[in-house]
């Protein structure tokens, strides 16, 4: 299956360190070689990069590893195809508009017999179960809440219910963000780490690269990194429970 990477921060932060290790799994240290993508929120906009090439061989991925784009919410994905051909339109993350905001979504898993009726603004372009699930989520949110975004607690509850209904069709590990919060649902495997003061040195598992975060941060910074498998070998990663939905705001998982 695919792998997911998300970052949620209280100040704009670059993801070069984490993405460097994550991209190695796209054809070098793992077999997720059927495309990749990454989306950065910047104000009301989204900077989206996708490529049907393996991340390890993609010139676009090389750009991301060397170009420190700063964002408070980032979602990335490396693909191992289960449904849908290897093609640009099937690369995650996917982006749609709802309530005057961009929403970004990526999924790891395989949904069987999942064919909801979709219409209006929310129809898939590609042929993946993942994009169908994203369109279904937004369609159901619009149907439930109309033209106005609900408070965060209501939105979290609704997304939790919808995620459980989709997960009844198979594996549904997903990340979703509107730029103000990052929602992550776990069916089988997700984990996270929160980096905050006092910062320490982190060592990547997939590449001989380390960073002393105390040298590149301020005491006020806080960064949550969410991923399918831990990216570092010397940090304590917290595992999600199966079926758990977590919401990250300003680098912190909400209780």
């Amino acid at each position: 299956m695919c792998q997911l990477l998300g970052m949620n921060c209280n100040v704009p932060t670059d993801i070069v360190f984490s993405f460097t290790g994550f991209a190695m799994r796209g054809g070098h240290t793992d077999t997720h070689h059927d495309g990749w993508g990454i989306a950065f929120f910047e104000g009301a906009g989204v900077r989206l990069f996708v490529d049907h090439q393996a991340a390890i061989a993609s010139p676009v991925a090389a750009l991301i590893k060397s170009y420190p784009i700063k964002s408070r919410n980032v979602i990335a994905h490396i693909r191992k195809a289960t449904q849908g051909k290897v093609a640009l339109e099937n690369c995650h993350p996917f982006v749609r508009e709802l309530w005057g905001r961009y929403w970004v979504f990526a999924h790891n898993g395989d949904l069987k017999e999942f064919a909801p009726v979709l219409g209006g603004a929310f129809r898939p372009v590609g042929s993946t179960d993942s994009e169908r699930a994203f369109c279904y989520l937004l369609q159901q949110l619009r149907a439930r809440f109309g033209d106005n975004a609900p408070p965060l607690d209501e939105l979290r509850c609704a997304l939790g219910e919808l995620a459980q209904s989709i997960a009844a069709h198979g594996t549904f590990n997903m990340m979703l963000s509107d730029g103000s919060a990052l929602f992550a649902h776990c069916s089988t495997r997700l984990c996270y780490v929160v980096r905050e003061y006092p910062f320490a040195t982190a060592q990547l598992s997939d590449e001989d690269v380390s960073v002393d975060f105390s040298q590149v941060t301020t005491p006020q910074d806080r960064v949550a990194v969410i991923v399918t498998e831990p990216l570092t070998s010397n940090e304590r990663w917290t595992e999600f429970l199966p079926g758990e939905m977590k919401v990250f705001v300003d680098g912190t998982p909400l209780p």
Side-chain angles (χ1 to χ4, degrees), residues 10 35 46 66 101 106 108 113 128 130 135 141 159 164 175 177 192-193 198-199 201 208 218 245:
N10 67 338
V46 171
S66 62
R101 313 174 192 168
N108 161 30
E113 298 180 3
T128 64
S130 305
C135 290
L141 291 177
L159 283 171
Q164 291 290 351
M175 292 184 188
S177 180
Y192 72 93
V193 65
F199 290 93
T201 297
D208 187 17
T218 74
M245 167 80 79

Side-chain angles (χ1 to χ4, degrees), residues 166-198:
I166 296 171
H169 293 269
T171 305
F172 192 60
N173 304 299
M174 72 88 179
M175 292 184 188
L176 174 73
S177 180
D178 66 344
S180 64
L182 192 151
F183 303 85
H185 178 266
C186 173
S187 279
T188 54
R189 178 71 166 158
L190 279 178
C191 56
Y192 72 93
V193 65
V194 175
R195 297 181 181 132
E196 57 189 342
Y197 184 82

Side-chain angles (χ1 to χ4, degrees), residues 7-14 40-43 69-74 177 179-182 222-224 248-251:
M7 184 179 74
N8 171 268
C9 322
N10 67 338
V11 296
T13 304
D14 77 70
F40 302 83
F41 281 91
E42 295 183 57
I69 300 170
K70 293 191 174 183
S71 174
R72 292 180 59 188
N73 285 280
V74 180
S177 180
S180 64
L182 192 151
R222 188 170 54 251
V223 178
F248 295 82
V249 176
D250 292 333

Side-chain angles (χ1 to χ4, degrees), residues 29 31 44 55 89 102 109 117 119 143 145 153 169 173 192 195 201 209 227 233 241 243 247 255:
T29 59
T31 58
E89 66 268 23
Y102 284 120
V117 177
F145 297 112
D153 285 348
H169 293 269
N173 304 299
Y192 72 93
R195 297 181 181 132
T201 297
V209 175
V227 72
S233 57
L241 298 174
V247 185

